[in-house]
Amino acid sequence: MFRAMMPPSTIAWSASGIRVLDQTRLPVEEVYLDLVTVDEVAEAIRALRVRGAPLIGVAAAMGLAAAALRAGGQGGGGAVGLESVRQDCATLRATRPTAVNLGWALDRMLARAERAVASGEALPPALRAEAQAIWDEDRAMCDRIGEAGLALVPDGATILTHCNAGALATSGKGTALAPVYAAVERGRRVSVIADETRPLLQGSRLTAWELGRAGVPCTVIADSMAASRLSRGGITAVLVGADRIAANGDTANKIGTYGLALAARAHGVPLYVAAPRSTFDPSTPHGSLIPIEQRAPEEMTRLGGTVTAPAGALVWNPAFDVTPVALITGFITDAGLFAPDRLMEWLRP
Ligand code: MRU
């Protein structure tokens, strides 16, 4: 019997700013951080305390609004200039380059600020309302993705996933895991295989933690085991999230997704990318133009304080890779399930 669903609360307003679950401390400790300044929010995003494409967009928007409210005084009616909002947006935008949700949320915030100034409206309450809308929409988009992907997770399904595209990566029930939660809510028996996800272990630390908390059986495997596991059969589908989807459907997601997609195709297992509208980037024609974040070499040369490579070892540490659209069976979105060649019909305004 599955326990009732209890997605962890990843973000909330606090008295002086925003409160976030520090994901670097999981699965050992459940610690919440109060972030007050824009620099603190930027640090939390850079350090992956707050992570996952949709959640960093929500956090940036809420952090920006909270900073404006503080600067504007209790009632939010004080003087907050458009120039300082622009600077704060630039600080937050520079934290992580790949997930387009971050720029999408900040563009919305800036546009709202410009409209407020043009109409003589006070900036802080306008920014707070826009951030609240972005937060509310994120939760609703997760629910719709869950419904759109429900048919892909029948009773008895075994789903293989990579990284964490669950509740911890959003402010709702996640993207790739949303159909899993929706199926379990309907009483279907579902189990998940979670790639460990080197080097930062989002699969074993985060996906296994949130599924365990929700009572969904989860088996952790090292990334190098995925092809072998797929070859043995019994995997219903591979479901992954995305950080940016180019206009042609090429998809940037956590490093290792591309290899997983190759293995899934070789073994005839369908691979679906689950993402809200905010992850699609029609202005980037194809995947080779998606900026890929490079992270510190120490993430590869140390593991939990233990040195895992000789001093001076050269390191290549891209946080994401690009899966060509040809390896993607379909997209599970908040507007339904799309075959890759139908994506543009939805994206075109
Ligand atoms: O570096 P991270 O942990 O932020 O990477 C997260 C991922 O790659 C997720 O799969 C992606 O953001 C989708 S989350 C719904």
Side-chain angles (χ1 to χ4, degrees), residues 227-273:
S228 176
R229 182 62 192 82
L230 284 160
S231 77
R232 287 163 190 248
I235 307 291
T236 313
V238 177
L239 302 186
V240 295
D243 288 82
R244 188 186 297 235
I245 301 169
N248 71 341
D250 290 350
T251 295
N253 190 47
K254 179 55 56 192
I255 189 78
T257 306
Y258 176 34
L260 181 62
L262 287 167
R265 179 56 56 93
H267 293 292
V269 177
L271 177 140
Y272 291 90
V273 171

Side-chain angles (χ1 to χ4, degrees), residues 253-334:
N253 190 47
K254 179 55 56 192
I255 189 78
T257 306
Y258 176 34
L260 181 62
L262 287 167
R265 179 56 56 93
H267 293 292
V269 177
L271 177 140
Y272 291 90
V273 171
R277 177 66 185 84
S278 50
T279 305
F280 288 84
D281 178 13
S283 71
T284 296
H286 49 82
S288 64
L289 297 172
I290 296 176
I292 299 294
E293 176 183 2
Q294 294 288 331
R295 293 192 60 89
E298 291 72 27
E299 292 181 354
M300 289 294 298
T301 58
R302 287 170 190 274
L303 193 54
T306 302
V307 175
T308 57
L314 298 178
V315 167
W316 182 57
N317 185 21
F320 304 98
D321 59 24
V322 175
T323 298
V325 65
L327 296 175
I328 297 169
T329 310
F331 293 88
I332 312 168
T333 78
D334 53 285

Side-chain angles (χ1 to χ4, degrees), residues 80-257:
V80 176
L82 196 50
E83 196 43 45
S84 73
V85 174
R86 285 201 178 107
Q87 277 168 15
D88 286 348
C89 279
T91 300
L92 290 163
R93 204 184 290 269
T95 52
R96 299 194 74 189
T98 303
V100 73
N101 309 60
L102 179 62
W104 171 88
L106 290 169
D107 286 347
R108 264 181 74 164
M109 294 295 284
L110 200 50
R112 185 72 186 83
E114 282 163 358
R115 282 201 308 279
V117 167
S119 64
E121 200 186 336
L123 266 178
L127 289 175
R128 158 110 190 187
E130 191 67 23
Q132 183 69 49
I134 289 171
W135 184 18
D136 293 343
E137 287 169 29
D138 183 60
R139 288 197 303 277
M141 286 196 283
C142 290
D143 288 342
R144 291 202 293 273
I145 289 169
E147 296 306 308
L150 192 56
L152 304 174
V153 187
D155 189 37
T158 300
I159 300 298
L160 176 53
T161 191
H162 188 71
C163 192
N164 174 265
L168 289 169
T170 66
S171 61
K173 59 165 63 153
T175 58
L177 295 188
V180 169
Y181 289 128
V184 169
E185 279 161 12
R186 282 167 173 80
R188 297 182 194 171
R189 288 155 304 163
V190 181
S191 62
V192 173
I193 298 176
D195 278 356
E196 173 190 43
T197 316
R198 278 281 286 148
L200 296 181
L201 310 180
Q202 288 94 330
S204 56
R205 289 192 306 106
L206 308 178
T207 297
W209 180 81
E210 69 163 84
L211 288 170
R213 192 178 141 121
V216 180
C218 175
T219 303
V220 176
I221 60 171
D223 302 351
S224 53
M225 298 168 190
S228 176
R229 182 62 192 82
L230 284 160
S231 77
R232 287 163 190 248
I235 307 291
T236 313
V238 177
L239 302 186
V240 295
D243 288 82
R244 188 186 297 235
I245 301 169
N248 71 341
D250 290 350
T251 295
N253 190 47
K254 179 55 56 192
I255 189 78
T257 306

